[in-house]
Amino acid sequence: MKIAILGFGTVGSGVYDIITNQTSPLLANIKVAKILIRKGKEKKLPIMVDDITDIVNDPEIALVVESMGGLHPAYEYIKLALTHGKHVVTANKAVLARNIAEFEALAKENGVFLSFEASTAGGIPWIASVEKARRIDAVSRFYGILNGTTNYILDSMDEREEDFADALAKAQELGYAEADPSADIDGVDVKNKVVISCAIAFNSVVDIDSFPCFGIRNIDKRDIAYFKRENRIVKLIGEASRFGDKYEAFVMPNAFTRDAMEATVRRNLNIVTLCGSTIGELKFYGQGAGKFPTANAVIQDILDIFSEKTEYTIDVKRKIDYDDTQSKNNYVLRTDRALTNPLFRAVIPFEGLYYHHADGLTIREMRGLAEQAGEADKRFFIIKQADF
Amino acid sequence: MKIAILGFGTVGSGVYDIITNQTSPLLANIKVAKILIRKGKEKKLPIMVDDITDIVNDPEIALVVESMGGLHPAYEYIKLALTHGKHVVTANKAVLARNIAEFEALAKENGVFLSFEASTAGGIPWIASVEKARRIDAVSRFYGILNGTTNYILDSMDEREEDFADALAKAQELGYAEADPSADIDGVDVKNKVVISCAIAFNSVVDIDSFPCFGIRNIDKRDIAYFKRENRIVKLIGEASRFGDKYEAFVMPNAFTRDAMEATVRRNLNIVTLCGSTIGELKFYGQGAGKFPTANAVIQDILDIFSEKTEYTIDVKRKIDYDDTQSKNNYVLRTDRALTNPLFRAVIPFEGLYYHHADGLTIREMRGLAEQAGEADKRFFIIKQADF
């Protein structure tokens, strides 16, 4: 079976390397026929091309791996591949989260598959596991550490009592964070993964702009110290729950107790949990990024498609509505000055900052509090006291 | 598709309940046609029969779920089903660990499948995940908490500083341990699961009687306290590694540091880890037993077989040899009186017991030390200082 790879960065070259190195006899049936690189770049391999039409018009190419990243031209190229009857396997969460319904519809229309195991939780077989759980169970909820960059930063801040800026700089130095780290540290990357996971877990399309997304940019070393004093550790969590035809979701830092499994997830590793009606809670842990783990996930998708194990698992016509009044949780709002509100059961000063504890709030109530704080303090943040 | 269930205990009735309750539309295609119960027992459902020939001779039954447990007549019934051209799905690790090669060969001969996701780690999709990892990677190692009963006992001893006998009695009261708990507390159940996992992970058949198996029967509350003082927690671990055409395996209590993920696995839950060449380390956590999680795993196998996603993944002609000289680890040997041996780097007395620390030993060396201790102290035990 011949495939093409779009983009030859970390993921694309990883896919090429694994297939070429033939770590398993099953890979002998897959041949990388063409690799798309940017116009003007040096063609280091004879199979490199710089025109997408060379790939989509090649009748021998059955499947296209999109590993360019970014919204454009990934969006156009994925559509082009699908409409030309090529299966598409992508690791690109950004383009997927915004266009999953359109892509899925196009794939079905053209009798091909769109697969994206590598887009969410990297090498962890998360997408396939949720699809599998759903064959028997209603999946009511999922949550997890879905971003390695922010976990690396938070882990450094916790372990070495570093400032956010120092931890970020070190993550950049080690290649765990990009030069422009916004998508990671503002939670956008996790938000994309929550949208993709919702599609699979809830068999529905959700609106990416509907639910709150908080990152870790405003987390201070004093915050880490405050929660450490409470025997907790801060992790950035993406989470969604389904309530009938409604769903709730958010991206938010969570303060886990030290004996929670999430608390033990170090460096840039990921963990994701699903809750099913008969299976209970399942957790999956592993490398959420990196050349070979991500490429491994791409190749798992390719093997499934070529061995006809892939199925259509998203009902793109089914939309569920966001509702932020369903679940109640405990939150802490941190600001530079003390706020008064009857919803706070305690306001605790710590090293010049104020920690406002509010228990049993809905997301809507919590956001209301945050907006109130926002006027007083642009650097507020909310943290969930996670007791999942 | 019509199936039969052999045995109507916890697992068998769970399979029946899930299929009958139709938690998912996919289950509509599966019909429980017959249930085998013991002769003389009351037939509470019209589909209950007490003669296996009623099932194996029924041409409409395509698949048999064996959920009787025990070696006999499970062994004979599985063979009978396979030779009559029925797929077999079993949760029975004991019969499987001793006969997996014979069963697999018989399944292939008769053009049917033998599946056993539920046999190891219950509801955790462990077998399928190892099979999947192996499509691309060499799996070099796996290890985990594979027995809920012993984890429940060790967790109680750690949390409430209970004696082994008290923790066991409570586990029995709560239904987490059987009236005769030997198979669990002596590690035999874990040993069975290691053999089954080796077959999948290493694509080989291993000899169940070749590798050491230590249980937790001799663990004293002082041991738990000793390791707690070292900021460690004791867990019973099944583990195997492959080195070319050799393998190493054992079942043994391990003392994990408190920040290890395994340390956070409470009550009767399970966690299993695989190490693959490109995927790195993947961990899977969930319910290792229980009616619905185990039944869920059985039904996942049924769905895979009926949707033609199952493949033969064990080379039953391939045997790998046990070799206990490959890896070196740190161990602690506990006895009632102090031993002297140059291999001990430290002998630490604690509440009337002696903890002999020996670093960088092979399994063979460690067993030698244990035998030496055995003469002096029938209640010795060895524990691995786990730094996986």
Side-chain angles (χ1 to χ4, degrees):
Chain A
M1 298 285 205
K2 290 192 178 173
I3 71 165
I5 300 173
L6 314 186
F8 205 63
T10 308
V11 179
S13 65
V15 171
Y16 178 80
D17 286 354
I18 293 179
I19 292 175
T20 311
N21 294 340
Q22 299 275 322
T23 52
S24 147
L26 275 179
L27 303 179
N29 304 321
I30 307 171
K31 191 169 179 280
V32 181
K34 280 174 188 163
I35 296 168
L36 183 75
I37 58 167
R38 248 176 295 168
K39 276 193 209 302
K41 275 200 115 184
E42 191 199 344
K43 295 195 177 77
K44 291 184 180 165
L45 294 168
I47 55 171
M48 285 178 167
V49 300
D50 63 10
D51 186 347
I52 184 73
T53 59
D54 276 354
I55 288 170
V56 294
N57 290 329
D58 184 338
E60 292 204 327
I61 290 173
L63 185 149
V64 170
V65 173
E66 185 276 299
S67 52
M68 297 180 294
L71 292 176
H72 303 282
Y75 170 76
E76 291 77 13
Y77 288 2
I78 288 173
K79 284 175 64 177
L80 216 49
L82 293 171
T83 51
H84 282 75
K86 318 288 186 204
H87 303 290
V88 172
V89 176
T90 180
N92 184 337
K93 48 247 167 195
V95 77
L96 206 53
R98 299 226 161 250
N99 305 288
I100 194 165
E102 184 183 6
F103 290 161
E104 273 287 318
L106 215 49
K108 274 187 212 176
E109 233 176 272
N110 289 278
V112 289
F113 290 107
L114 169 76
S115 296
F116 42 83
E117 181 62 79
S119 71
T120 304
I124 301 173
W126 168 243
I127 298 293
S129 296
V130 178
E131 281 177 336
K132 189 170 175 175
R134 230 192 59 196
R135 300 197 302 183
I136 299 173
D137 277 359
V139 174
S140 57
R141 186 182 202 193
F142 66 84
Y143 63 90
I145 299 171
L146 287 161
N147 181 274
T149 307
T150 47
N151 203 59
Y152 184 87
I153 293 170
L154 291 169
D155 186 43
S156 291
M157 290 178 76
D158 181 73
E159 197 190 356
R160 286 181 286 271
E161 299 182 4
E162 279 174 335
D163 279 323
F164 175 79
D166 293 338
L168 170 60
K170 203 171 60 207
Q172 286 171 319
E173 211 174 283
L174 291 168
Y176 293 145
E178 290 175 53
D180 175 3
S182 321
D184 291 318
I185 65 176
D186 293 331
V188 178
D189 177 75
V190 177
K191 187 166 74 162
N192 290 334
K193 291 166 178 170
V194 168
V195 169
I196 295 165
S197 300
C198 279
I200 299 291
F202 307 150
N203 188 24
S204 301
V205 178
V206 304
D207 177 5
I208 191 169
D209 295 316
S210 61
F211 60 89
C213 174
F214 299 95
I216 64 164
R217 194 187 283 270
N218 287 341
I219 291 189
D220 191 287
K221 66 191 282 188
R222 289 170 290 180
D223 302 328
I224 304 295
Y226 177 79
F227 286 106
K228 202 177 238 178
R229 209 180 58 162
E230 295 206 329
N231 203 29
R232 288 181 180 267
I233 182 168
V234 178
K235 299 287 184 186
L236 183 64
I237 294 291
E239 176 185 355
S241 303
R242 184 170 157 186
F243 302 89
D245 284 337
K246 309 276 188 181
Y247 82 103
E248 217 172 65
F250 51 78
V251 178
M252 186 184 293
N254 282 239
F256 286 89
T257 54
R258 293 269 160 181
D259 60 358
M261 198 161 282
E262 283 72 16
T264 67
V265 176
R266 305 295 307 271
R267 300 184 306 281
N268 62 332
L269 283 125
N270 283 194
I271 192 167
V272 216
T273 302
L274 70 81
C275 309
S277 37
T278 70
I279 198 68
E281 203 174 74
L282 289 179
K283 288 180 188 281
F284 303 87
Y285 163 94
Q287 295 285 349
K291 178 171 178 160
F292 290 118
T294 311
N296 183 299
V298 167
I299 296 172
Q300 292 288 9
D301 277 344
I302 297 174
L303 290 173
D304 277 343
I305 290 173
F306 284 164
S307 61
E308 295 178 1
K309 287 182 180 167
T310 308
E311 287 173 22
Y312 295 108
T313 46
I314 305 173
D315 183 349
V316 295
K317 292 200 184 100
R318 199 155 165 282
K319 295 206 164 38
I320 51 175
D321 288 327
Y322 175 69
D323 180 351
D324 58 3
T325 62
Q326 295 285 344
S327 68
K328 288 173 193 285
N329 288 291
N330 300 343
Y331 297 97
V332 180
L333 175 63
R334 187 269 286 148
T335 60
D336 283 350
R337 54 162 211 172
L339 303 172
T340 43
N341 190 306
L343 286 173
F344 300 131
R345 71 156 166 80
V347 180
I348 301 173
F350 179 76
E351 297 187 13
L353 294 171
Y354 295 87
Y355 295 85
H356 306 72
H357 289 251
D359 293 349
L361 258 54
T362 63
I363 297 179
R364 180 171 298 177
E365 288 166 330
M366 176 279 291
R367 287 183 91 171
L369 280 180
E371 275 158 34
Q372 179 196 349
E375 293 166 25
D377 176 6
K378 293 279 176 241
R379 288 184 62 256
F380 76 90
F381 81 81
I382 313 165
I383 197 154
K384 189 173 158 191
Q385 301 254 38
D387 291 301
F388 286 97
Chain B
M1 298 285 207
K2 289 193 178 171
I3 72 166
I5 301 173
L6 314 186
F8 205 63
T10 308
V11 179
S13 65
V15 172
Y16 179 79
D17 286 354
I18 293 179
I19 292 174
T20 312
N21 294 340
Q22 299 275 323
T23 51
S24 146
L26 274 179
L27 304 179
N29 303 322
I30 307 171
K31 192 170 177 273
V32 181
K34 280 175 188 160
I35 296 169
L36 183 76
I37 58 167
R38 249 177 294 167
K39 275 194 210 302
K41 275 200 114 185
E42 190 199 346
K43 295 195 178 80
K44 290 185 182 166
L45 295 167
I47 55 171
M48 285 178 168
V49 299
D50 62 11
D51 186 347
I52 185 72
T53 59
D54 276 355
I55 288 170
V56 295
N57 290 330
D58 184 337
E60 292 202 329
I61 291 173
L63 185 150
V64 170
V65 173
E66 186 275 300
S67 53
M68 297 178 294
L71 292 176
H72 303 282
Y75 170 76
E76 290 76 15
Y77 289 2
I78 288 174
K79 283 175 65 177
L80 216 48
L82 293 171
T83 51
H84 282 76
K86 319 289 185 202
H87 303 291
V88 171
V89 176
T90 180
N92 184 337
K93 48 247 166 196
V95 77
L96 207 52
R98 298 227 160 248
N99 306 287
I100 194 165
E102 185 183 6
F103 290 161
E104 274 286 317
L106 215 48
K108 274 187 210 174
E109 234 176 87
N110 289 279
V112 289
F113 289 107
L114 169 76
S115 295
F116 42 84
E117 180 63 79
S119 70
T120 305
I124 301 173
W126 168 242
I127 299 292
S129 296
V130 178
E131 281 177 337
K132 188 169 175 177
R134 231 193 58 195
R135 301 197 302 185
I136 299 173
D137 277 359
V139 174
S140 57
R141 186 183 202 191
F142 65 84
Y143 63 90
I145 298 171
L146 287 162
N147 180 274
T149 306
T150 47
N151 203 59
Y152 184 86
I153 292 170
L154 292 170
D155 186 44
S156 290
M157 289 177 77
D158 181 74
E159 198 190 357
R160 285 181 285 273
E161 299 181 3
E162 278 175 335
D163 278 323
F164 175 78
D166 293 338
L168 170 61
K170 203 171 59 203
Q172 286 171 318
E173 208 174 288
L174 291 168
Y176 292 145
E178 290 175 53
D180 175 3
S182 321
D184 291 318
I185 65 176
D186 293 332
V188 177
D189 177 77
V190 177
K191 187 166 73 161
N192 289 334
K193 291 166 178 171
V194 168
V195 169
I196 295 165
S197 301
C198 278
I200 299 291
F202 306 149
N203 188 26
S204 301
V205 178
V206 305
D207 177 5
I208 190 168
D209 296 315
S210 62
F211 60 88
C213 174
F214 299 95
I216 64 164
R217 195 188 281 271
N218 287 341
I219 291 189
D220 190 288
K221 67 192 284 190
R222 289 170 290 179
D223 302 327
I224 304 295
Y226 177 79
F227 287 105
K228 202 175 236 178
R229 207 179 60 161
E230 295 205 331
N231 203 29
R232 287 181 181 266
I233 182 167
V234 178
K235 299 288 184 184
L236 183 64
I237 294 292
E239 175 184 355
S241 302
R242 184 171 157 185
F243 303 90
D245 283 336
K246 309 275 188 183
Y247 82 103
E248 217 172 65
F250 51 78
V251 178
M252 187 185 291
N254 282 240
F256 286 88
T257 54
R258 294 267 160 182
D259 59 357
M261 198 162 283
E262 284 71 16
T264 66
V265 177
R266 304 296 307 272
R267 300 184 305 283
N268 62 332
L269 283 126
N270 284 194
I271 191 168
V272 215
T273 301
L274 71 81
C275 309
S277 38
T278 70
I279 199 68
E281 204 175 73
L282 289 179
K283 288 180 189 281
F284 303 87
Y285 162 94
Q287 294 286 348
K291 178 171 179 160
F292 290 118
T294 311
N296 182 299
V298 167
I299 296 172
Q300 293 288 8
D301 277 345
I302 298 173
L303 291 172
D304 277 343
I305 290 173
F306 285 163
S307 61
E308 295 178 2
K309 287 182 180 166
T310 308
E311 287 173 25
Y312 296 107
T313 45
I314 306 174
D315 183 350
V316 295
K317 294 202 185 96
R318 199 158 164 281
K319 296 209 163 36
I320 51 174
D321 288 327
Y322 175 69
D323 180 352
D324 57 4
T325 63
Q326 294 285 342
S327 68
K328 289 174 193 285
N329 287 291
N330 300 344
Y331 297 97
V332 180
L333 174 64
R334 186 268 286 149
T335 61
D336 283 349
R337 54 165 209 170
L339 303 172
T340 43
N341 189 307
L343 286 173
F344 299 131
R345 70 156 167 80
V347 181
I348 301 172
F350 179 75
E351 297 187 12
L353 294 171
Y354 295 87
Y355 294 86
H356 306 71
H357 289 250
D359 292 349
L361 258 53
T362 63
I363 296 179
R364 181 172 299 178
E365 289 166 331
M366 175 279 291
R367 287 183 91 172
L369 280 180
E371 275 158 34
Q372 180 196 348
E375 294 167 25
D377 177 5
K378 293 279 177 240
R379 287 185 61 255
F380 76 90
F381 81 82
I382 313 164
I383 198 153
K384 190 172 157 193
Q385 299 253 39
D387 291 301
F388 287 95

